[in-house]
Amino acid sequence: MSNESLANLLKEERRFAPPAELAANANVTAEAYERAKADRLGFWAEQARRLSWETEPTEALDWSNPPFAKWFKDGRLNVAYNCVDRHVEAGLGDRVAIHFEGEPGDTRAITYADLRREVSKAANALIELGVQTGDRVAIYMPMIPETVVAMLACARIGAPHSLVFGGFSSDALATRIQDADARVVITADGGYRRGKPSALKPAVDEALTQPGTEKVRNVLVVRRTGEETAWTEGRDVWWHELVDRQSEEHTPQAFEAEHPLFILYTSGTTGKPKGILHTSGGYLTQAAYTHHAVFDLKPETDVYWCTADVGWVTGHSYIVYGPLANGATQVIYEGTPDTPHKGRWWEIVEKYKVTILYTAPTAIRTCMKWGDDIPAKFDLSSLRVLGSVGEPINPEAWVWYRHNIGGDRTPVVDTWWQTETGAIMISPLPGVTEAKPGSAQVPLPGISATVVDDEANEVPNGSGGYLVLTEPWPSMLRTIWGDDQRYLDTYWSRFQNRYFAGDGAKKDEDGDIWLLGRVDDVMLVSGHNISTTEVESALVSHPKVAEAAVVGATDPQTTQAICAFVILRGSAAEDEGLVEELRAHVAKHLGPIAKPKRILPVDELPKTRSGKIMRRLLRDVAENRDLGDVTTLTDSTVMTLIQSKLPGAASSED
Ligand code: ATP
Ligand code: MG
């Protein structure tokens, strides 16, 4: 898309300086960029000292066999010890680690001392089940404290975990169990969603009937809902029977920094999920550092809340490993934002006096759709930093978030990263960066990223291309589980010696980075490359639109034609002239070439469980094709609803 269009999106020149008080007391200041630039590996070696090592590493990076990195390779540590025990040993045993809020309203406050006991018992239980260092454990759980305990227990004994979203089907679970060759599955009878118990164990039972899952010896089951649960004697074990009777003592053993910590399958927005492998020392270093830097965490006073599901990477790095390594106090909420009412999240912020909130654009746009009056009913004045992750955040949604949730006080940090990168890579720093709504802006200290053209040349400011990472980073994926070749092909073959992220991006006149969506989603209209993100942001900037998804559908005249699916804001009606009005609005913002050919108001969009719009399914719909793989979709009935709206729907031709 032309530079003009970006300039258009930016034309209001909205800039937000960091609040003075935050800037004055910020954990990280502008000096960190310089220091990291002067000595990148020295900078990361210094960050590694945030952790407690049994054996300190003497070298930061071994890049002798690229792209297979080894970080801090002669160092030894235990990840669970770093997240739990060391805080207790430092006298912080009484600090609350987790304020748990169940969907039905039950609550638990779990201190670091409690967490140490629970994790030790769970580690002993896994050992009793015969789990050995290196064995894989699949975890298929709701958002309850035992999920965190289970992950840390695995980390403690060096058994890599593989979390599978609680919303996935038994088939998706079976594929992941097979691929990781898991020996034990940890699950629950169910969890609460939308006011009702929602069973999980039946999907595990079903998955374990499939070939390739025979090596699963045991299923460890947490009782959460108390619903009737089918039982396989000899295989199934209740958590409260096995874990509760274990000793509270377990001495953590140190592992090599490169010991595998977890496998996590990407959310599958673009196709077959990849089993991303993360290891221990480098991963924990960057998760801890970025959580400290990007959220300005003050563990003594902050109450942090990340609304992500623990089953995706944000939950791994910014519910479990980063915050706990930093000794944070955090909120974990089990349920959906609208149960029992649409103000539930804001009620939780008010109740726990949450100071840092980290969520996804999809959630913010949903709240916009529900209306400003809902958050306005609650006292959100405790908030001081807001974060966003998962998709590009439209400038309109960014401004809405800062205004309606942040009371026009708080910085908003738009954090770009991926399952593969393990931790945040590109983001403003809340006490340093003058924020631009809609832009992730700058690589963090110690991170090297840029935008290149087809020939791998760095593009000048004001131009777009492909986002690449130019130097290895501590929390980078080490490979795709069991498939080194796919690791090389997917990330390292497009450009020599550079990691290709798969995302389009552009640099503005100041050199700040704007993410433009996946390269696979970029549209080609009459010879022009048009980014889905920019058209979506233009639509969302219209007062009647809460959310938009844009795809390019094959078109005989223009190669691709822009097709937009929009969700209207709470009060907006779907009247006659609306579609025309929206088309004109986009043309005004981005130029006539970006004017959507069709606009279809819908009630919901197809999303992954992590809240990302699955544009490839919308493309299938727009081109009247059978739907591709829908296994990672939250709710497959959404597609039927959208398809049923299609014939003769609000389309218009030029
Ligand atoms: P798959 O790789 O299987 O298709 P996925 O890419 O959706 O799935 P994730 O690793 O969860 O799986 O998502 C990372 C992607 O999310 C990034 O590559 C980018 O496209 C998008 N993303 C995440 N954060 C941001 C952000 N702040 N701004 C723009 N895009 C973002
Ligand atoms: Mg991806």
Side-chain angles (χ1 to χ4, degrees):
M1 162 145 292
S2 63
N3 302 340
E4 224 175 299
S5 65
L6 181 69
N8 268 328
L9 273 182
L10 286 171
K11 74 172 177 289
E12 290 173 52
E13 286 290 328
R14 288 176 290 195
R15 298 283 188 279
F16 298 90
E21 199 195 311
L22 199 156
N25 300 300
N27 284 351
V28 175
T29 59
E31 156 283 335
Y33 293 105
E34 292 311 312
R35 198 152 33 93
K37 203 167 168 187
D39 178 9
R40 189 173 58 87
L41 296 179
F43 173 82
W44 284 118
E46 182 191 314
Q47 301 316 323
R49 289 195 276 277
R50 302 177 170 279
L51 308 181
S52 304
W53 298 81
E54 188 219 47
T55 310
E56 295 265 342
T58 59
E59 181 190 20
L61 172 67
D62 173 356
W63 193 235
S64 57
N65 179 29
F68 298 93
K70 292 193 166 115
W71 281 88
F72 311 119
K73 74 171 180 204
D74 61 351
R76 297 176 67 85
L77 81 172
N78 185 287
V79 168
Y81 172 83
N82 271 278
C83 292
V84 183
D85 306 51
R86 65 169 176 153
H87 305 311
V88 180
E89 289 169 12
L92 304 174
D94 291 338
R95 179 182 291 171
V96 172
I98 297 171
H99 286 294
F100 172 66
E101 175 89 10
E103 200 191 70
D106 55 320
T107 61
R108 281 158 75 186
I110 298 165
T111 64
Y112 276 95
D114 296 333
L115 199 56
R116 178 168 72 169
R117 278 191 291 275
E118 294 307 315
V119 172
S120 298
K121 287 195 293 187
N124 288 327
L126 291 177
I127 292 167
E128 188 177 317
L129 292 179
V131 178
Q132 293 180 3
T133 300
D135 284 353
R136 271 82 55 204
V137 174
I139 300 182
Y140 184 67
M141 293 276 269
M143 285 288 288
I144 56 176
E146 283 80 2
T147 311
V148 177
V149 171
M151 291 165 77
L152 292 168
C154 289
R156 197 172 182 96
I157 64 171
H161 54 68
S162 165
L163 268 88
V164 181
F165 289 124
F168 279 170
S169 66
S170 59
D171 280 349
L173 176 61
T175 323
R176 287 160 176 76
I177 290 173
Q178 289 154 359
D179 190 72
D181 194 15
R183 299 307 149 97
V184 166
V185 179
I186 306 179
T187 188
D189 52 359
Y192 290 93
R193 276 196 92 69
R194 304 194 190 285
K196 292 195 299 275
S198 158
L200 281 173
K201 173 78 168 26
V204 177
D205 293 337
E206 171 60 34
L208 294 184
T209 63
Q210 301 201 22
T213 60
E214 301 80 7
K215 289 198 197 129
V216 172
R217 290 184 305 257
N218 294 106
V219 179
L220 182 56
V221 190
V222 175
R223 190 154 71 194
R224 167 67 182 142
T225 62
E227 299 274 287
E228 184 82 37
T229 299
W231 209 249
T232 302
E233 285 305 329
R235 183 195 73 185
D236 298 349
V237 191
W238 282 113
W239 177 285
H240 60 267
E241 286 175 4
L242 179 71
V243 177
D244 286 1
R245 66 170 162 75
Q246 301 293 323
S247 156
E248 291 176 359
E249 297 304 319
H250 175 270
T251 309
Q253 176 199 339
F255 300 103
E256 291 176 359
E258 284 297 337
H259 189 80
L261 180 61
F262 64 84
I263 301 165
L264 182 61
Y265 294 82
T266 53
S267 57
T269 315
T270 50
K272 182 176 178 266
K274 303 170 276 283
I276 302 302
L277 178 69
H278 282 288
T279 59
S280 304
Y283 170 80
L284 195 63
T285 297
Q286 195 175 328
Y289 171 68
T290 52
H291 185 253
H292 160 87
V294 173
F295 300 107
D296 192 48
L297 178 86
K298 309 280 196 267
E300 305 77 26
T301 47
D302 275 319
V303 178
Y304 166 83
W305 182 21
C306 168
T307 67
D309 192 294
V310 72
W312 72 295
V313 74
T314 304
H316 284 57
S317 303
Y318 299 106
I319 292 176
V320 182
Y321 294 111
L324 295 177
N326 289 338
T329 295
Q330 70 177 314
V331 172
I332 292 184
Y333 171 56
E334 176 184 31
T336 51
D338 52 352
T339 308
H341 57 82
K342 292 189 168 113
R344 184 70 188 268
W345 275 15
W346 316 122
E347 188 177 77
I348 292 173
V349 168
E350 181 180 279
K351 175 174 175 185
Y352 294 100
K353 299 194 168 44
V354 172
T355 58
I356 304 170
L357 179 71
Y358 193 27
T359 192
T362 182
I364 298 164
R365 291 185 303 247
T366 302
C367 294
M368 286 170 72
K369 177 176 72 180
W370 289 343
D372 307 359
D373 52 318
I374 294 172
K377 289 188 205 120
F378 299 89
D379 178 4
L380 307 179
S381 61
S382 54
L383 289 167
R384 66 179 198 93
V385 178
L386 301 178
S388 168
V389 61
E391 291 186 296
I393 177 165
N394 324 98
E396 205 61 29
W398 193 107
V399 171
W400 186 94
Y401 189 30
R402 185 175 184 278
H403 178 70
N404 291 277
I405 308 303
D408 285 327
R409 293 179 316 278
T410 61
V412 173
V413 287
D414 174 12
T415 64
W416 178 87
W417 58 297
Q418 312 178 295
T419 307
E420 293 88 339
T421 70
I424 300 171
M425 302 293 283
I426 305 178
S427 168
L429 287 176
V432 178
T433 318
E434 176 166 83
K436 293 178 186 171
S439 172
Q441 298 190 276
V442 273
L444 289 179
I447 299 301
S448 314
T450 191
V451 181
V452 298
D453 65 16
D454 273 311
E455 275 78 52
N457 303 308
E458 225 171 287
V459 303
N461 288 352
S463 306
Y466 307 97
L467 182 70
V468 293
L469 304 171
T470 55
E471 296 287 354
W473 62 101
S475 63
M476 66 194 287
L477 76 166
R478 298 307 194 255
T479 188
I480 292 177
W481 180 253
D483 200 346
D484 286 350
Q485 193 57 47
R486 194 173 176 206
Y487 169 63
L488 292 167
D489 294 345
T490 311
Y491 307 107
W492 299 94
S493 64
R494 181 74 179 74
F495 302 107
Q496 218 183 352
N497 298 326
R498 286 171 170 200
Y499 171 91
F500 172 47
D503 286 338
K506 84 188 347 172
K507 290 200 265 178
D508 68 17
E509 296 302 337
D510 304 324
D512 282 330
I513 295 175
W514 294 68
L515 275 302
L516 296 180
R518 293 149 201 290
V519 171
D520 304 348
D521 289 338
V522 169
M523 301 173 289
L524 186 64
V525 181
S526 306
H528 297 263
N529 278 327
I530 298 184
S531 120
T532 51
T533 302
E534 284 182 303
V535 181
E536 288 164 7
S537 288
L539 284 163
V540 175
S541 75
H542 188 282
K544 289 185 184 156
V545 177
E547 188 151 20
V550 164
V551 299
T554 308
D555 184 273
Q557 273 103 45
T558 56
T559 317
Q560 285 189 319
I562 302 178
C563 250
F565 299 79
V566 297
I567 299 182
L568 301 179
R569 288 223 204 179
S571 51
E574 190 180 320
D575 59 61
E576 286 287 298
L578 180 66
V579 166
E580 262 326 301
E581 190 181 321
L582 294 180
R583 296 178 70 230
H585 180 79
V586 174
K588 187 173 130 234
H589 269 260
L590 301 176
I593 186 79
K595 190 171 177 175
K597 183 160 186 187
R598 315 177 71 180
I599 295 185
L600 188 66
V602 292
D603 295 327
E604 246 325 323
L605 290 168
K607 287 177 188 161
T608 63
R609 181 102 155 86
S610 54
K612 292 169 198 272
I613 299 168
M614 289 176 85
R615 289 180 192 74
R616 69 179 164 82
L617 295 181
L618 292 172
R619 210 151 45 223
D620 290 343
V621 169
E623 295 180 346
N624 291 315
R625 257 197 317 271
D626 286 344
L627 297 183
D629 185 3
V630 291
T631 52
T632 61
L633 206 59
T634 353
D635 175 5
S636 50
T637 58
V638 167
M639 291 313 294
T640 325
L641 279 176
I642 292 177
Q643 277 170 318
S644 72
K645 282 199 100 179
L646 259 188
S651 74
S652 70
E653 319 284 313
D654 257 358

